[in-house]
């Protein structure tokens, strides 16, 4: 039985390669049918914000990778409710359907996975 993996993505899409690397890990694991979940935390919630124009910052667009997550079996997507609020975002306006979690639910989520990677 494959061990479950939680990938915590904490970086904004324009802050360097970390956001893309987290998505690459999730997509690669999903291609091998590993049980993978993703949590967007801190500035990582900006990856899910609509209306981004990465070309203005000479960055690559992550939207295609994000939209591919469910196609690769990565359907358990979570976001920190606190992180959204601190950044003026609302879960209903994000580009992917995610489950917003409070602090207690985040602790529970961490306990339900065999391995956790923070990027």
């Amino acid at each position: 039985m494959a061990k479950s993996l939680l990938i915590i993505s904490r970086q904004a899409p324009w802050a360097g390669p970390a956001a893309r690397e987290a998505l690459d890990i999730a997509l690669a694991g999903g291609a091998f049918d590993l049980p993978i979940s993703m949590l967007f935390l801190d500035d990582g919630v900006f990856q899910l914000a609509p209306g981004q124009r990465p070309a203005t910052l000479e960055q690559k667009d992550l939207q295609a990778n994000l939209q591919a997550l469910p196609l690769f079996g990565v359907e358990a997507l979570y976001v920190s409710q606190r992180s959204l609020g601190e950044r003026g975002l609302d879960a209903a306006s994000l580009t992917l359907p995610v489950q917003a979690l409070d602090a207690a639910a985040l602790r529970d989520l961490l306990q339900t996975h065999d391995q956790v990677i923070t990027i």
Side-chain angles (χ1 to χ4, degrees), residues 11-93:
Q11 300 297 316
W14 55 84
R20 180 169 296 284
E21 290 170 357
L23 290 171
D24 287 346
I25 292 169
L27 292 170
F32 289 100
D33 292 326
L34 297 175
I36 296 179
S37 302
M38 283 199 73
L39 168 62
F40 298 90
L41 188 66
D42 300 329
D43 284 346
V45 299
F46 285 125
Q47 294 175 46
L48 303 170
Q52 296 186 37
R53 294 179 301 212
T56 60
L57 297 173
E58 298 181 10
Q59 297 286 324
K60 291 186 180 181
D61 192 357
L62 296 180
Q63 286 304 309
N65 294 46
L66 286 165
Q67 297 301 321
L69 289 171
L71 300 173
F72 281 76
V74 183
E75 297 175 350
L77 304 174
Y78 305 97
V79 66
S80 164
Q81 203 167 34
R82 180 189 54 82
S83 295
L84 286 176
E86 289 174 351
R87 287 152 184 85
L89 297 172
D90 183 308
S93 68

Side-chain angles (χ1 to χ4, degrees), residues 3-7 110 112-117:
K3 292 190 177 214
S4 62
L5 174 63
L6 174 64
I7 300 169
L110 292 171
T112 62
H113 288 80
D114 297 312
Q115 298 176 337
V116 177
I117 296 175

